[in-house]
Every structure is written in structure tokens, then in C-alpha cells.
Amino acid sequence: MRSRIFFKLMFVFLLVIGVTAITLQLAVHKVWERTLREQIERNLKQKTLMFAHRVEADRQHSLADITSQEGQAAGARATVVDPTGKVLADSEADPGTMENHAHRREFVAALAGEVGLDERKSQSLGVPFVYVAAPVSGGAVRLAYPLPEIEITDRPLRVALFWGSFSALVFAVMVAAAASQYVGRRLQRIVDFAERVAGGDLTARIASSSTDEIGQMALALDKTTRRVEESYARVQTSQRELETLLNSMHDAVVAVDVEGRIQWANRSMDRLLLRALRLNAPLIDSVRDPDFLAAIQDAARYQVVRSARSNTIAPGRTFDVTAAPMPGGGAVAVLRDLTETERMEKSRRDFIANVSHELRTPLTSIQGYTETLLDSPIADNHVREFLEIIRKNAARMSRLTEDLLTLARVESGEQRFEIERVSAEELLQDALESFREVARSYGVELVIENSVAGANVSANREAIHQIFSNLIENALKYAASGKKVILGARAAESGVEFYVRDFGSGISSEHLPRLFERFYRVDKARSRESGGTGLGLAIAKHIVLAHGGTIRAESELNHGSTFLFTLPGSEADSG
């Protein structure tokens, strides 16, 4: 790892240094060459002007001698031409053998009265020259400087630049190697630190006193690791607390993943199955109850809460199963043991049924004898008043025992209802005919508001009549001030919804959730006066539940109350 970082950094450094050295050498050489050319051209112009001045002023020497001396002094080739371009003198060639120079660009400019400059290869010598010409009286003069002389002058500079660049490159490579090694070691420390953290060692630390980018990155990683360690410690503490809490629960708890494999189970679950569950093993290998497995599968698949009842997880025991989805997928199920609760509930129902049954005979006797005494001539009015009180209370206790027996039979499932296809409209009409006269005695009008024509429900006619009886009696007793009670029915999602609506004083919202509990009364004093037992709504609720329906109440103070219950539609209608 370290070698890869080192070589990568070295490659980058070498590339940068190499490009810089080459660019620097090319740039310096080009600037030097351009500067040298410009200096040669300036010197050559000055010497050419001096050559022209001497040709104009020197009358002691011949033109050939002047040309030879000036060429030698300037280190260049000197030439003199007349206005027609004919060569009059040349420092390196015989003028008679030279061609006419009138069309040479430097002479064209000079014969026009300006200093001419040109660069080209000499036709006579085959060497590139820089030509500078200046006008004189009766023609022009020219100096030609060979360019190879520039290359000869430039060669030491190239050598110096090469060795300077090479030395700088070697030194830079050494510095880059040291820097690469230093940076590589620092990065390797960070990599080793990251590998330790990735391996689960959250106690790993990386100290760095440097303030550069690598040092800041090391400090940030170190700070991040500290926070992760603290968070992980908090998660572990929370997990231990949760495990302790779940293991202390009496209810059994088990969690599965999306594939139905066991992820966790508390001790109550292990005790329930008489063995410890194997983690990551399919739950179906340990539990075969179909309702329990279906509830967990639905909760995990559809992300909804499912409830079920299980009787086969443990012999002779009944469990209420609640399965809920987990955020990361899968589901958790809680099994609450209902065995003792159901046993006590059954004992309570049996006790109530037995006591009610035993009370029927003496209550009937008390009621019969009291009525007999009342029918006989009794002179004492006080005795007659006392007998009337005995008769009323005996009648009330008789109604209470009958309602208790009915409720016990419905709750326990002992009373079986023969379900048949019944018209919803007929059920409403039967209730109306049965209670129309009773309603009139209360000064209340009983009417049918809505009727679902042609709709049929699956129900027991007598049981539904009892529901209407309880609901209408309540409406007449507690809502007579409304002067009207409405019966109705309407289509619902799963069948037909029936309702009984009154226009009395209404019921406060805090009472609505408990209306269907046994013996619950909103106005206890008024209930006793009316002779109610407090069991009518509880009986109605259990009859509706036995039919597979639901029952509820809606009410507002001073706006009356509405009691609604649903019954499943007939299969013939749904088909």
C-alpha cells in the first residue's frame, strides 16, 4: 500500500518537474535566441550606417579597400552597389562575377532611401545570412552576417541550460522522493487507522499535530471515531436495557426477518417452547401454529399490525398473538397467555349463570305470592304499599336474572343462532309494528326513515328483534323529550348498517366508549327509576358480534343519539 502511494506521488512529482524543466529550457532558449538576433540586428544596423558614412566621407581609400576593411572590422560580408543594383565592391567575392542586386529586398528599401533588413540563404555561399542595407550617394551599402555564427554563440547557452536543468531535476527528484515518502507514511497511518475502525476497533486513535489538509483529515476522522464509539456505547446500553426489559416480560416475544428467520426471542418464549430458539433458523421449524405464522407473515409482508388467537403453541394453553412490522423489515410478535384469564372468565360466566338460574324460582315465587296478596282484600294501605314495593323489586330482579342468563349464553357461545337470509326491510317493519304502540304510550312517534329496498342480510330474526327491542326501549326511556325515534338502514361496505336515532338530550362524549359495557349507566338514578338492568346494550353488542357485525354509538349533547350496527349481507346478494 505504501509503495503504491509513494510511486503515485513520485510519478506526479516527476511529471510536474519534467514538464517545468522542459518548458523552462525551451522558453529561456527561445528568449535568448530572440534577444541575440535583435542585438545582432541592432549592431549590424549601426555598423552598416557607419559603413555608409565612411563610403560617403573617405576619399583617401578606394571603394574596394573600404569595403574590405569594413567587412573585416564588422566580422561580416560587405557589399556596395550603384543605383541600378550593379555590385561595385564586395569583401568576399569578385564584383564582376556577381549578379545584379537591384531586386534584393534589403537593396530595394535602401535604394528607396530607407534602411533595409532581410534574412535568407546566400545563393553564392549557400549559408543563411542576415542582410542590412543603407543608402549612400550613388547607390547603397550592405553588411551580411552569417546565422551559423548565432548557433555557435548559442551552443554554450544550451549546454549550460541542459546541465542546470538536469541538476535542478536531480535535486527536485530527491526533494520529491522525500516528500512522497513523508506524505505516503502519513496516508498509510490514516489507512491503517481506517482498517482498524472497519474491523470493529472503535478505540483506535490517530494523533496528528500538523495543520495541513492531511492533518485536518486525520483530526476529523479521529473525532468521528470518538463520536461513533460514544454512539455505539449508547446503543449497546440501550440494547442491554431492552433485552433486560423483554426478558423480564411475562409475555413471550419473538422477532423474525423478512425471510421468516428468528432474529431474537426472550426467555419467556424459550420457556414456552421448552427449549431455546436457534437464531437465524426458520421460525416454522420451532412453531407450527398456522394462525400464529400467518399473523407474522402478514405483518412482515404488508407492513400492518395483525392479531390472532393460538391454541396449539403449547398444549392446553390459549394465546393472544399481536404481530407488528419492524422498520428494517421483518416482524415482531408478542404472545399473551390468556389461559388463566379465559378460565376465570368462564368461571365468572358459569357463576353468574348458575346464580341467575337459582334465583329464577324463588323470585318467581315471591312475585306470584305478592301478586296473590295484592289481589286479596287488604284493609291496611301501608301493607298494600309494601307489597307493591316487593312486587316491583321482585319483577326487576327477575328481569335482571333473565338478562344475565341471556348475556351469559351469548358470551359463552352456548346460545347458537340459526342464521338465515332475511330482508332488511322486514326487520325494520317488524320492529316498527312491535313498538309502535309502546312509543305512543310515551308520546313518541316511531317512524322508518330509510329502507334498503331489496337488500338481504344473514341473521337470526329473533336475535335482531331483541337488538331493536333494547335500542328502541333505551331511546323511549331516555329520549322521550325528542317526540320522535327514527329507524333506518343503509348499504355498508360489508353488508347493511341499521340505526336507531333519537332527538333527546344526547350523551356526553366521555361516556361513548363504555356504553356497551355491562351495568354501565350514564344516568344511574334515572336508570333505576325506569327499571333498566344496565345489560341491554351489552346483550345487543354480543348478539351483533356473534353475527360477525359491529355496533357503535354517535351522540352530541342536546342533539340526540344514534346507535348503529352492521350485519353481513346475504351470500345470495353478494353473488
Side-chain angles (χ1 to χ4, degrees), residues 408-526:
R409 287 195 295 268
V410 174
E411 278 186 325
S412 63
E414 178 183 345
Q415 182 172 347
R416 301 291 181 178
F417 298 111
E418 296 183 2
I419 305 299
E420 59 181 343
R421 185 166 177 249
V422 186
S423 169
E425 190 172 1
E426 288 181 11
L427 293 176
L428 292 174
Q429 290 294 336
D430 289 347
L432 178 65
E433 294 297 331
S434 299
F435 293 94
R436 178 181 289 163
E437 296 301 324
V438 178
R440 286 177 181 172
S441 67
Y442 280 90
V444 175
E445 182 184 6
L446 186 64
V447 297
I448 296 177
E449 181 181 62
N450 292 323
S451 178
V452 185
N456 298 305
V457 294
S458 297
N460 180 274
R461 186 187 297 270
E462 294 300 326
I464 304 306
H465 185 77
Q466 186 172 1
I467 295 175
F468 274 117
S469 172
N470 291 337
L471 297 181
I472 293 173
E473 283 182 2
N474 279 347
L476 294 176
K477 290 175 183 177
Y478 304 113
S481 59
K483 303 303 180 183
K484 181 186 284 189
V485 172
I486 296 176
L487 309 180
R490 57 196 174 201
E493 182 179 354
S494 58
V496 177
E497 184 176 61
F498 298 87
Y499 60 88
V500 176
R501 180 180 301 147
D502 64 63
F503 299 89
S505 58
I507 303 171
S508 181
S509 59
E510 66 266 18
H511 297 295
L512 294 179
R514 301 189 60 188
L515 282 178
F516 298 96
E517 295 180 9
R518 58 175 64 88
F519 298 115
Y520 186 80
R521 295 183 177 91
V522 176
D523 188 347
K524 296 180 175 59
R526 187 172 180 184

Side-chain angles (χ1 to χ4, degrees), residues 320-374:
D320 179 50
V321 179
T322 301
M326 293 193 296
V332 59
V334 179
L335 293 85
R336 174 162 297 177
D337 193 347
L338 301 178
T339 306
E340 186 64 21
T341 302
E342 290 194 347
R343 186 188 66 79
M344 294 178 63
E345 183 68 18
K346 184 176 184 302
S347 299
R348 182 190 63 79
R349 289 196 301 266
D350 292 344
F351 173 77
I352 292 174
N354 292 334
V355 170
S356 301
H357 182 73
E358 293 297 327
L359 287 174
R360 291 175 69 181
T361 301
L363 286 173
T364 302
S365 298
I366 293 172
Q367 193 173 3
Y369 286 121
T370 303
E371 290 175 354
T372 301
L373 290 173
L374 286 171

Side-chain angles (χ1 to χ4, degrees), residues 77 118-122 125 127-131 144-147:
R77 181 180 179 181
D118 192 20
E119 181 181 327
R120 66 178 180 276
K121 184 181 290 186
S122 173
L125 298 178
V127 177
F129 278 82
V130 176
Y131 299 94
Y145 189 84
L147 288 179

Side-chain angles (χ1 to χ4, degrees), residues 162-175:
F162 172 76
W163 285 110
S165 299
F166 181 75
S167 300
L169 179 63
V170 171
F171 177 75
V173 167
M174 294 174 61
V175 173

Side-chain angles (χ1 to χ4, degrees), residues 284-331:
I284 194 173
D285 292 347
S286 302
V287 182
R288 301 297 179 90
D289 186 275
D291 295 331
F292 172 72
L293 294 175
I296 290 185
Q297 289 174 359
D298 289 348
R301 182 179 305 169
Y302 303 113
Q303 294 294 295
V304 295
V305 178
R306 285 283 188 264
S307 299
R309 184 65 63 92
S310 173
N311 298 307
T312 62
I313 294 180
R317 299 171 69 180
T318 302
F319 295 92
D320 179 50
V321 179
T322 301
M326 293 193 296

Side-chain angles (χ1 to χ4, degrees), residues 76-112:
R77 181 180 179 181
T79 307
V80 181
V81 298
D82 63 8
T84 64
K86 180 182 178 182
V87 178
L88 300 177
D90 190 89
S91 63
E92 294 182 6
D94 183 8
T97 62
M98 297 178 65
E99 63 180 6
N100 190 285
H101 284 32
H103 300 292
R104 305 291 172 88
R105 284 192 294 178
E106 68 275 12
F107 279 119
V108 171
L111 292 175

Side-chain angles (χ1 to χ4, degrees), residues 119-166:
E119 181 181 327
R120 66 178 180 276
K121 184 181 290 186
S122 173
Q123 295 181 357
S124 58
L125 298 178
V127 177
F129 278 82
V130 176
Y131 299 94
V132 177
V136 295
S137 300
V141 298
R142 183 187 71 179
L143 289 178
Y145 189 84
L147 288 179
E149 293 296 328
I150 298 177
E151 296 180 358
I152 294 172
T153 306
D154 188 38
R155 188 175 294 113
L157 176 63
R158 289 186 178 181
V159 173
L161 283 174
F162 172 76
W163 285 110
S165 299
F166 181 75

